[in-house]
Amino acid sequence: MAVLEQGTWYPNKEVNELSYEDSFELPQTAEQDRYHMYMSLACPFAHRPYLVINFLGLNDTITVSSVAAKRYDDGWLFDDVHSDPLYNAGDLVKLYQRANPIYTGRVTVPVLWDKHTHTIVGNDSSEIAIELATNWLPLAKYQHELVPNNLRTDIKALNEWLHINVNRKVYHVGFATEQADYDRASTTLFEALEQLDTRLSQSPYLFGTTVTLSDLFLLPTLVRFEAVYEVHFKANKKPLKAFENLYRYMLDLVIIKRIRETIDIEYMKQHYYFSHKHINPNGIIPAGPDINW
């Protein structure tokens, strides 16, 4: 892990070693061309708000850029291909320090940046995604209710379940260092996928016939499964294709142009296989698999 403590960068310090962690408060009102979102095309959590922005057509309202694919001990970096469009910073640490010189906590993506006050106003992917899907909807090009009022409570509950049992659990599988931990995490993950497969045998999407925010929370994990998680994370109790309804569901979503535009498989592979040296010490990026969707 790597963190900032009182504005000083520690590349090998754990979050639980910090006495506290700073937080940021999301803006209360939507505003045209005031905010920029820094994200990573590899990170499934940053993918959530990016999907909301692209799916709703908020691209003209909030600008978006990605950090570089390869991550080193310096954390999330920028490079010639994926540069910082606002300050030409070399890494994300510098932006956290710019926002708060004595910031203490994790340096993570996504970051919602206020271009007027030159500071971070949010770095929780779930909160940002919900905020964009609801309070920013009036500014969206495509007026699609991702969080309908009658489903709000159910969507939030399912999103939390997905986070615990799927989105985060696949990391528990991949980062396990003991067989028992791996076995437990793998069992939980694949039981969750079985439940989702059964649920999707009854409807096209998680809540019936229309895309909701829950679909945009599940999809980031699914699109990384074949290229990364099945091999790199050993999440291979069953191939994703074996879940017939779940796989059909993923394919139905990725053919939507506004969703497909947010997915970069080669970038994802570069990040995971190069950056996780504790799993793949030599950083060899595999040639395959051939993703034909």
Side-chain angles (χ1 to χ4, degrees):
M1 193 62 184
V3 296
L4 275 166
E5 184 170 26
Q6 294 294 305
T8 301
W9 176 248
Y10 294 92
N12 296 303
K13 196 167 207 173
E14 296 296 327
V15 173
N16 58 20
E17 296 179 56
L18 301 175
S19 57
Y20 73 96
E21 188 171 355
D22 284 320
S23 60
F24 302 98
E25 201 166 312
L26 283 169
Q28 297 301 304
T29 56
E31 188 173 335
Q32 184 86 22
D33 198 32
R34 175 165 179 168
Y35 300 98
H36 180 84
M37 191 179 76
Y38 292 99
M39 51 87 67
S40 165
L41 289 164
C43 176
F45 305 103
H47 199 174
R48 298 166 171 174
Y50 185 33
L51 276 165
V52 174
I53 289 171
N54 232 52
F55 188 77
L56 294 181
L58 285 167
N59 315 72
D60 294 334
T61 299
I62 300 176
T63 52
V64 178
S65 65
S66 176
V67 295
K70 295 180 178 180
R71 179 171 174 161
Y72 298 81
D73 288 342
D74 293 332
W76 296 107
L77 307 179
F78 297 102
D79 62 14
D80 292 340
V81 177
H82 296 96
S83 60
D84 171 19
L86 300 185
Y87 307 101
N88 200 32
D91 55 62
L92 201 62
V93 171
K94 299 294 191 304
L95 292 176
Y96 272 78
Q97 291 170 326
R98 185 185 185 104
N100 180 359
I102 57 171
Y103 172 80
T104 292
R106 293 166 288 185
V107 175
T108 59
V109 287
V111 164
L112 189 61
W113 185 272
D114 187 328
K115 293 186 284 188
H116 290 187
T117 59
H118 305 283
T119 193
I120 296 170
V121 291
N123 68 344
D124 183 291
S125 66
S126 180
E127 289 183 359
I128 295 172
I130 293 171
E131 178 75 12
L132 294 174
T134 54
N135 293 337
W136 289 73
L137 186 57
L139 295 179
K141 181 178 179 180
Y142 306 107
Q143 292 292 305
H144 181 103
E145 287 197 7
L146 289 168
V147 189
N149 286 331
N150 64 316
L151 293 175
R152 184 178 294 260
T153 300
D154 292 337
I155 286 172
K156 286 186 176 182
L158 182 56
N159 288 356
E160 181 63 22
W161 183 88
L162 290 169
H163 182 76
I164 293 169
N165 294 284
V166 179
N167 305 139
R168 284 297 300 168
K169 193 57 62 179
V170 75
Y171 278 82
H172 296 163
V173 173
F175 289 174
T177 56
E178 300 287 342
Q179 187 68 51
D181 293 337
Y182 168 85
D183 290 342
R184 279 192 296 270
S186 180
T187 296
T188 300
L189 172 63
F190 281 89
E191 285 180 351
L193 295 179
E194 292 282 5
Q195 291 180 49
L196 290 166
D197 192 61
T198 299
R199 179 176 184 141
L200 289 164
S201 70
Q202 306 299 317
S203 62
Y205 304 114
L206 291 173
F207 285 100
T209 58
T210 186
V211 174
T212 67
L213 188 61
S214 293
D215 298 303
L216 303 189
F217 271 49
L218 174 56
L219 185 64
T221 298
L222 299 183
V223 298
R224 287 159 175 79
F225 225 90
E226 295 169 287
V228 178
Y229 298 152
E230 287 183 1
V231 179
H232 187 54
F233 279 5
K234 305 179 186 68
N236 54 11
K237 187 174 182 180
K238 286 176 63 174
L240 189 63
K241 283 184 177 180
F243 298 96
E244 182 179 349
N245 302 302
L246 191 60
Y247 202 76
R248 180 273 310 159
Y249 159 85
M250 181 189 73
L251 296 181
D252 286 348
L253 287 170
V254 298
I255 62 170
I256 299 172
K257 186 174 184 290
R258 302 196 306 274
I259 287 177
R260 188 65 185 84
E261 289 170 343
T262 71
I263 301 168
D264 190 329
I265 298 295
E266 290 307 312
Y267 178 107
M268 293 174 189
K269 286 169 56 180
Q270 280 192 47
H271 170 75
Y272 280 96
Y273 288 101
F274 177 87
S275 305
H276 295 164
K277 295 298 175 61
H278 59 299
I279 299 176
N280 187 31
N282 294 320
I284 302 298
I285 301 167
D290 181 22
I291 303 296
N292 56 23
W293 42 260

